[in-house]
Amino acid sequence: MEHSSPVEVPLRVPLIAGETTASYLARTAVANALTHSELLGALQPGRRARPPALRPAAAEVYLSPPSLRLLADLVRRPVDQLARALPHLRTGPLLEADTPQVRSVTWPNGAGQMPLPCCPLCMEEGAWLVSFRRRWTPCGCGRRWLVGDRGGYLVDTTPLPELARALLRHRALLHRLGPAGDALVADAHQVALRWWVHRRQVGGEIWRRREDALGMPKARRKTAPAVVYPETMALAEAMWTWEQRRHRPGANPQAWLEQVAEQLQVPGLAEGLGPRGEGVPLAYWLAHHTAATPTRGTPAAGARKGGSTEDHWTRLPDGHHRPALPGLFQAGSCLTWVYGKPLTSVGV
């Protein structure tokens, strides 16, 4: 009597830091000419029900500790090596079961909850990353933007070297200020996207030219997060200047607005709310980041020269929440409007 051969994985696919479990399993199956059922079945032997198909863009796969050990044996990698690379194979997300179990769970559909497609240039085409609540991020190679919205898509930013320069500025700000720098980028990006939605109030023809260069004329909204990146970085750096000023006596938000208006060449930013409402999002941001002189005799948090990244974080108002992980676009914004949904005026 013949017996079916056990599942074998002679080819190990490279690990990608931050990859979803479903994506890693799908890549492993394809590389070894296995069906999804064969691979998932090997992680829960004895189960009679047909395992679900692997759909990395739509659903994540969770394993119990015994199934994780079976996977480690199958791909000939230590459990801790898999767990370091794949976030959902770490202790917290594992299923609480003492027997081999596999469960497929549809990704939530909220902003920043869907996975991000991997860059095919420096990772692997068809692979997916856990978003960690990021809706988008530039790839480290500087030639693609990874976006989780609308089922996930990539933006080829190679035609626009100014986006690569903006990435370098983002990294430098993060290196200098820590998560406070990334939080200010999140704020500036919110403001810039609001300007884009309201008929490109700031970028104007520059943003239109970049949209044309990215080659998605029927999907301009999909490229906007990348298109506004250079102005985002200029504004984030200016926001840090205000963060330093607002803790000092006599801090003048109008003087800061005039400097920003001159830098971005948009006079309306400093003219009340501006003739086209350009000043609305910055007025809302300033309402959260008000001038607050420290108590006499007590230096402002982070005011001493060379303050630590912790000092820099304490300068931010309470509306900011420290990101769980380091990196670009990990911090949330204190501004509450959501790109892609109807935007209203101050008080969203």
mmCIF file of all heavy atoms in Angstrom, residues 115-147:
data_model
loop_
_atom_site.group_PDB
_atom_site.id
_atom_site.type_symbol
_atom_site.label_atom_id
_atom_site.label_comp_id
_atom_site.label_asym_id
_atom_site.label_seq_id
_atom_site.Cartn_x
_atom_site.Cartn_y
_atom_site.Cartn_z
ATOM 1 N N PRO A 115 -2.189 45.505 4.878
ATOM 2 C CA PRO A 115 -0.745 45.337 4.681
ATOM 3 C C PRO A 115 -0.226 46.204 3.550
ATOM 4 O O PRO A 115 -0.989 46.691 2.705
ATOM 5 C CB PRO A 115 -0.624 43.849 4.351
ATOM 6 C CG PRO A 115 -1.933 43.485 3.738
ATOM 7 C CD PRO A 115 -2.959 44.310 4.466
ATOM 8 N N LEU A 116 1.091 46.391 3.541
ATOM 9 C CA LEU A 116 1.748 47.182 2.506
ATOM 10 C C LEU A 116 2.442 46.248 1.512
ATOM 11 O O LEU A 116 3.131 45.311 1.932
ATOM 12 C CB LEU A 116 2.798 48.106 3.128
ATOM 13 C CG LEU A 116 2.328 49.091 4.195
ATOM 14 C CD1 LEU A 116 3.526 49.814 4.797
ATOM 15 C CD2 LEU A 116 1.350 50.094 3.618
ATOM 16 N N PRO A 117 2.305 46.491 0.216
ATOM 17 C CA PRO A 117 3.013 45.645 -0.757
ATOM 18 C C PRO A 117 4.511 45.904 -0.705
ATOM 19 O O PRO A 117 4.945 47.054 -0.558
ATOM 20 C CB PRO A 117 2.413 46.076 -2.098
ATOM 21 C CG PRO A 117 1.953 47.478 -1.865
ATOM 22 C CD PRO A 117 1.514 47.556 -0.437
ATOM 23 N N CYS A 118 5.309 44.862 -0.819
ATOM 24 C CA CYS A 118 6.760 45.015 -0.783
ATOM 25 C C CYS A 118 7.279 45.626 -2.078
ATOM 26 O O CYS A 118 6.709 45.438 -3.156
ATOM 27 C CB CYS A 118 7.437 43.657 -0.591
ATOM 28 S SG CYS A 118 7.440 43.063 1.105
ATOM 29 N N CYS A 119 8.388 46.330 -1.968
ATOM 30 C CA CYS A 119 9.071 46.865 -3.143
ATOM 31 C C CYS A 119 9.696 45.709 -3.918
ATOM 32 O O CYS A 119 10.454 44.915 -3.351
ATOM 33 C CB CYS A 119 10.149 47.848 -2.708
ATOM 34 S SG CYS A 119 11.208 48.418 -4.055
ATOM 35 N N PRO A 120 9.411 45.580 -5.209
ATOM 36 C CA PRO A 120 9.985 44.477 -5.987
ATOM 37 C C PRO A 120 11.456 44.674 -6.303
ATOM 38 O O PRO A 120 12.119 43.732 -6.756
ATOM 39 C CB PRO A 120 9.141 44.484 -7.272
ATOM 40 C CG PRO A 120 8.702 45.902 -7.413
ATOM 41 C CD PRO A 120 8.500 46.417 -6.006
ATOM 42 N N LEU A 121 11.986 45.878 -6.081
ATOM 43 C CA LEU A 121 13.382 46.151 -6.411
ATOM 44 C C LEU A 121 14.338 45.668 -5.332
ATOM 45 O O LEU A 121 15.434 45.188 -5.643
ATOM 46 C CB LEU A 121 13.583 47.657 -6.632
ATOM 47 C CG LEU A 121 12.734 48.288 -7.734
ATOM 48 C CD1 LEU A 121 13.049 49.779 -7.834
ATOM 49 C CD2 LEU A 121 12.980 47.604 -9.057
ATOM 50 N N CYS A 122 13.946 45.798 -4.074
ATOM 51 C CA CYS A 122 14.879 45.452 -2.997
ATOM 52 C C CYS A 122 14.325 44.404 -2.034
ATOM 53 O O CYS A 122 15.038 43.977 -1.122
ATOM 54 C CB CYS A 122 15.291 46.704 -2.230
ATOM 55 S SG CYS A 122 13.928 47.619 -1.523
ATOM 56 N N MET A 123 13.066 44.007 -2.212
ATOM 57 C CA MET A 123 12.524 42.925 -1.398
ATOM 58 C C MET A 123 12.102 41.799 -2.340
ATOM 59 O O MET A 123 12.943 41.119 -2.894
ATOM 60 C CB MET A 123 11.387 43.442 -0.511
ATOM 61 C CG MET A 123 11.892 44.325 0.628
ATOM 62 S SD MET A 123 10.596 44.988 1.711
ATOM 63 C CE MET A 123 10.287 46.566 0.920
ATOM 64 N N GLU A 124 10.832 41.605 -2.545
ATOM 65 C CA GLU A 124 10.391 40.589 -3.498
ATOM 66 C C GLU A 124 8.999 40.922 -3.985
ATOM 67 O O GLU A 124 8.111 41.236 -3.185
ATOM 68 C CB GLU A 124 10.396 39.194 -2.862
ATOM 69 C CG GLU A 124 10.074 38.093 -3.857
ATOM 70 C CD GLU A 124 10.354 36.698 -3.316
ATOM 71 O OE1 GLU A 124 11.322 36.545 -2.546
ATOM 72 O OE2 GLU A 124 9.607 35.778 -3.656
ATOM 73 N N GLU A 125 8.817 40.861 -5.275
ATOM 74 C CA GLU A 125 7.510 41.165 -5.849
ATOM 75 C C GLU A 125 6.469 40.179 -5.341
ATOM 76 O O GLU A 125 6.715 38.973 -5.272
ATOM 77 C CB GLU A 125 7.579 41.099 -7.373
ATOM 78 C CG GLU A 125 6.320 41.574 -8.057
ATOM 79 C CD GLU A 125 6.485 41.702 -9.547
ATOM 80 O OE1 GLU A 125 7.552 41.307 -10.067
ATOM 81 O OE2 GLU A 125 5.545 42.210 -10.192
ATOM 82 N N GLY A 126 5.324 40.707 -4.956
ATOM 83 C CA GLY A 126 4.245 39.860 -4.470
ATOM 84 C C GLY A 126 4.255 39.621 -2.974
ATOM 85 O O GLY A 126 3.324 39.021 -2.442
ATOM 86 N N ALA A 127 5.300 40.095 -2.271
ATOM 87 C CA ALA A 127 5.350 39.943 -0.819
ATOM 88 C C ALA A 127 4.643 41.127 -0.157
ATOM 89 O O ALA A 127 4.481 42.195 -0.758
ATOM 90 C CB ALA A 127 6.794 39.843 -0.341
ATOM 91 N N TRP A 128 4.225 40.933 1.102
ATOM 92 C CA TRP A 128 3.459 41.954 1.819
ATOM 93 C C TRP A 128 4.026 42.152 3.220
ATOM 94 O O TRP A 128 4.481 41.201 3.858
ATOM 95 C CB TRP A 128 1.987 41.543 1.913
ATOM 96 C CG TRP A 128 1.320 41.501 0.577
ATOM 97 C CD1 TRP A 128 1.394 40.493 -0.348
ATOM 98 C CD2 TRP A 128 0.514 42.529 -0.011
ATOM 99 N NE1 TRP A 128 0.671 40.820 -1.466
ATOM 100 C CE2 TRP A 128 0.114 42.057 -1.297
ATOM 101 C CE3 TRP A 128 0.060 43.768 0.421
ATOM 102 C CZ2 TRP A 128 -0.701 42.816 -2.136
ATOM 103 C CZ3 TRP A 128 -0.748 44.515 -0.420
ATOM 104 C CH2 TRP A 128 -1.120 44.037 -1.684
ATOM 105 N N LEU A 129 3.960 43.398 3.684
ATOM 106 C CA LEU A 129 4.465 43.767 5.000
ATOM 107 C C LEU A 129 3.322 44.102 5.946
ATOM 108 O O LEU A 129 2.307 44.668 5.527
ATOM 109 C CB LEU A 129 5.380 44.994 4.896
ATOM 110 C CG LEU A 129 6.614 44.881 4.001
ATOM 111 C CD1 LEU A 129 7.301 46.241 3.921
ATOM 112 C CD2 LEU A 129 7.560 43.833 4.531
ATOM 113 N N VAL A 130 3.500 43.786 7.220
ATOM 114 C CA VAL A 130 2.573 44.263 8.247
ATOM 115 C C VAL A 130 2.668 45.787 8.281
ATOM 116 O O VAL A 130 3.764 46.358 8.266
ATOM 117 C CB VAL A 130 2.927 43.668 9.625
ATOM 118 C CG1 VAL A 130 1.981 44.199 10.698
ATOM 119 C CG2 VAL A 130 2.876 42.143 9.578
ATOM 120 N N SER A 131 1.539 46.460 8.310
ATOM 121 C CA SER A 131 1.551 47.920 8.185
ATOM 122 C C SER A 131 1.985 48.637 9.459
ATOM 123 O O SER A 131 2.521 49.740 9.398
ATOM 124 C CB SER A 131 0.164 48.418 7.789
ATOM 125 O OG SER A 131 -0.757 48.229 8.851
ATOM 126 N N PHE A 132 1.741 48.026 10.629
ATOM 127 C CA PHE A 132 1.987 48.711 11.905
ATOM 128 C C PHE A 132 1.311 50.075 11.915
ATOM 129 O O PHE A 132 1.861 51.071 12.381
ATOM 130 C CB PHE A 132 3.486 48.858 12.178
ATOM 131 C CG PHE A 132 4.209 47.554 12.328
ATOM 132 C CD1 PHE A 132 5.164 47.169 11.402
ATOM 133 C CD2 PHE A 132 3.921 46.699 13.373
ATOM 134 C CE1 PHE A 132 5.828 45.958 11.524
ATOM 135 C CE2 PHE A 132 4.583 45.486 13.512
ATOM 136 C CZ PHE A 132 5.535 45.118 12.580
ATOM 137 N N ARG A 133 0.101 50.134 11.346
ATOM 138 C CA ARG A 133 -0.745 51.317 11.302
ATOM 139 C C ARG A 133 -0.217 52.386 10.333
ATOM 140 O O ARG A 133 -0.682 53.522 10.356
ATOM 141 C CB ARG A 133 -0.968 51.914 12.695
ATOM 142 C CG ARG A 133 -1.600 50.939 13.680
ATOM 143 C CD ARG A 133 -2.202 51.634 14.865
ATOM 144 N NE ARG A 133 -3.339 52.449 14.489
ATOM 145 C CZ ARG A 133 -4.569 51.995 14.262
ATOM 146 N NH1 ARG A 133 -4.830 50.701 14.389
ATOM 147 N NH2 ARG A 133 -5.544 52.820 13.921
ATOM 148 N N ARG A 134 0.722 52.040 9.494
ATOM 149 C CA ARG A 134 1.153 52.963 8.443
ATOM 150 C C ARG A 134 0.254 52.786 7.225
ATOM 151 O O ARG A 134 0.035 51.673 6.761
ATOM 152 C CB ARG A 134 2.595 52.691 8.025
ATOM 153 C CG ARG A 134 3.631 52.970 9.089
ATOM 154 C CD ARG A 134 4.998 52.512 8.633
ATOM 155 N NE ARG A 134 5.036 51.058 8.445
ATOM 156 C CZ ARG A 134 6.071 50.394 7.954
ATOM 157 N NH1 ARG A 134 7.156 51.048 7.573
ATOM 158 N NH2 ARG A 134 6.042 49.086 7.829
ATOM 159 N N ARG A 135 -0.216 53.890 6.659
ATOM 160 C CA ARG A 135 -0.993 53.816 5.429
ATOM 161 C C ARG A 135 -0.070 53.812 4.217
ATOM 162 O O ARG A 135 -0.463 53.336 3.150
ATOM 163 C CB ARG A 135 -1.954 54.999 5.329
ATOM 164 C CG ARG A 135 -3.056 55.006 6.367
ATOM 165 C CD ARG A 135 -3.959 56.211 6.206
ATOM 166 N NE ARG A 135 -4.687 56.173 4.939
ATOM 167 C CZ ARG A 135 -5.498 57.158 4.519
ATOM 168 N NH1 ARG A 135 -5.642 58.236 5.259
ATOM 169 N NH2 ARG A 135 -6.131 57.059 3.385
ATOM 170 N N TRP A 136 1.125 54.372 4.384
ATOM 171 C CA TRP A 136 2.079 54.485 3.286
ATOM 172 C C TRP A 136 3.460 54.700 3.866
ATOM 173 O O TRP A 136 3.630 55.092 5.011
ATOM 174 C CB TRP A 136 1.722 55.667 2.386
ATOM 175 C CG TRP A 136 1.286 56.870 3.160
ATOM 176 C CD1 TRP A 136 2.034 57.615 4.045
ATOM 177 C CD2 TRP A 136 -0.030 57.445 3.182
ATOM 178 N NE1 TRP A 136 1.273 58.610 4.592
ATOM 179 C CE2 TRP A 136 0.012 58.543 4.077
ATOM 180 C CE3 TRP A 136 -1.221 57.167 2.497
ATOM 181 C CZ2 TRP A 136 -1.102 59.337 4.326
ATOM 182 C CZ3 TRP A 136 -2.312 57.954 2.751
ATOM 183 C CH2 TRP A 136 -2.251 59.033 3.656
ATOM 184 N N THR A 137 4.466 54.448 3.065
ATOM 185 C CA THR A 137 5.842 54.724 3.462
ATOM 186 C C THR A 137 6.729 54.635 2.232
ATOM 187 O O THR A 137 6.471 53.831 1.340
ATOM 188 C CB THR A 137 6.328 53.748 4.551
ATOM 189 O OG1 THR A 137 7.586 54.193 5.068
ATOM 190 C CG2 THR A 137 6.479 52.340 4.016
ATOM 191 N N PRO A 138 7.764 55.475 2.147
ATOM 192 C CA PRO A 138 8.722 55.294 1.057
ATOM 193 C C PRO A 138 9.598 54.085 1.342
ATOM 194 O O PRO A 138 9.992 53.856 2.490
ATOM 195 C CB PRO A 138 9.534 56.592 1.079
ATOM 196 C CG PRO A 138 9.403 57.101 2.474
ATOM 197 C CD PRO A 138 8.070 56.641 2.988
ATOM 198 N N CYS A 139 9.898 53.317 0.313
ATOM 199 C CA CYS A 139 10.809 52.193 0.493
ATOM 200 C C CYS A 139 12.205 52.722 0.777
ATOM 201 O O CYS A 139 12.573 53.819 0.349
ATOM 202 C CB CYS A 139 10.814 51.316 -0.758
ATOM 203 S SG CYS A 139 11.916 49.889 -0.602
ATOM 204 N N GLY A 140 12.996 51.931 1.471
ATOM 205 C CA GLY A 140 14.346 52.354 1.804
ATOM 206 C C GLY A 140 15.220 52.615 0.602
ATOM 207 O O GLY A 140 16.185 53.393 0.681
ATOM 208 N N CYS A 141 14.904 52.007 -0.535
ATOM 209 C CA CYS A 141 15.709 52.226 -1.738
ATOM 210 C C CYS A 141 15.406 53.573 -2.376
ATOM 211 O O CYS A 141 16.137 54.019 -3.265
ATOM 212 C CB CYS A 141 15.479 51.104 -2.751
ATOM 213 S SG CYS A 141 13.840 51.110 -3.532
ATOM 214 N N GLY A 142 14.314 54.223 -1.964
ATOM 215 C CA GLY A 142 13.974 55.536 -2.480
ATOM 216 C C GLY A 142 13.335 55.546 -3.846
ATOM 217 O O GLY A 142 13.125 56.614 -4.423
ATOM 218 N N ARG A 143 12.943 54.382 -4.380
ATOM 219 C CA ARG A 143 12.402 54.326 -5.743
ATOM 220 C C ARG A 143 10.946 53.870 -5.797
ATOM 221 O O ARG A 143 10.361 53.803 -6.870
ATOM 222 C CB ARG A 143 13.276 53.412 -6.608
ATOM 223 C CG ARG A 143 14.693 53.945 -6.780
ATOM 224 C CD ARG A 143 15.564 52.982 -7.546
ATOM 225 N NE ARG A 143 15.032 52.733 -8.885
ATOM 226 C CZ ARG A 143 15.531 51.801 -9.700
ATOM 227 N NH1 ARG A 143 16.547 51.042 -9.306
ATOM 228 N NH2 ARG A 143 15.013 51.633 -10.901
ATOM 229 N N ARG A 144 10.391 53.533 -4.688
ATOM 230 C CA ARG A 144 8.983 53.125 -4.630
ATOM 231 C C ARG A 144 8.353 53.672 -3.358
ATOM 232 O O ARG A 144 9.006 53.797 -2.323
ATOM 233 C CB ARG A 144 8.826 51.590 -4.647
ATOM 234 C CG ARG A 144 9.310 50.893 -5.898
ATOM 235 C CD ARG A 144 8.406 51.191 -7.080
ATOM 236 N NE ARG A 144 8.786 50.407 -8.255
ATOM 237 C CZ ARG A 144 9.709 50.767 -9.135
ATOM 238 N NH1 ARG A 144 10.391 51.890 -8.962
ATOM 239 N NH2 ARG A 144 9.977 50.009 -10.183
ATOM 240 N N TRP A 145 7.052 53.980 -3.429
ATOM 241 C CA TRP A 145 6.242 54.204 -2.237
ATOM 242 C C TRP A 145 5.324 53.009 -2.080
ATOM 243 O O TRP A 145 4.731 52.523 -3.067
ATOM 244 C CB TRP A 145 5.421 55.503 -2.374
ATOM 245 C CG TRP A 145 6.109 56.669 -1.729
ATOM 246 C CD1 TRP A 145 7.351 57.132 -2.004
ATOM 247 C CD2 TRP A 145 5.583 57.514 -0.687
ATOM 248 N NE1 TRP A 145 7.641 58.225 -1.215
ATOM 249 C CE2 TRP A 145 6.579 58.480 -0.407
ATOM 250 C CE3 TRP A 145 4.380 57.547 0.005
ATOM 251 C CZ2 TRP A 145 6.397 59.466 0.561
ATOM 252 C CZ3 TRP A 145 4.198 58.539 0.966
ATOM 253 C CH2 TRP A 145 5.199 59.480 1.247
ATOM 254 N N LEU A 146 5.213 52.506 -0.850
ATOM 255 C CA LEU A 146 4.351 51.372 -0.540
ATOM 256 C C LEU A 146 3.083 51.916 0.103
ATOM 257 O O LEU A 146 3.148 52.626 1.107
ATOM 258 C CB LEU A 146 5.056 50.413 0.426
ATOM 259 C CG LEU A 146 6.562 50.228 0.249
ATOM 260 C CD1 LEU A 146 7.102 49.294 1.339
ATOM 261 C CD2 LEU A 146 6.889 49.693 -1.137
ATOM 262 N N VAL A 147 1.932 51.582 -0.459
ATOM 263 C CA VAL A 147 0.662 52.130 0.025
ATOM 264 C C VAL A 147 -0.306 50.984 0.300
ATOM 265 O O VAL A 147 -0.496 50.103 -0.546
ATOM 266 C CB VAL A 147 0.054 53.113 -0.999
ATOM 267 C CG1 VAL A 147 -1.184 53.787 -0.425
ATOM 268 C CG2 VAL A 147 1.085 54.163 -1.429
#
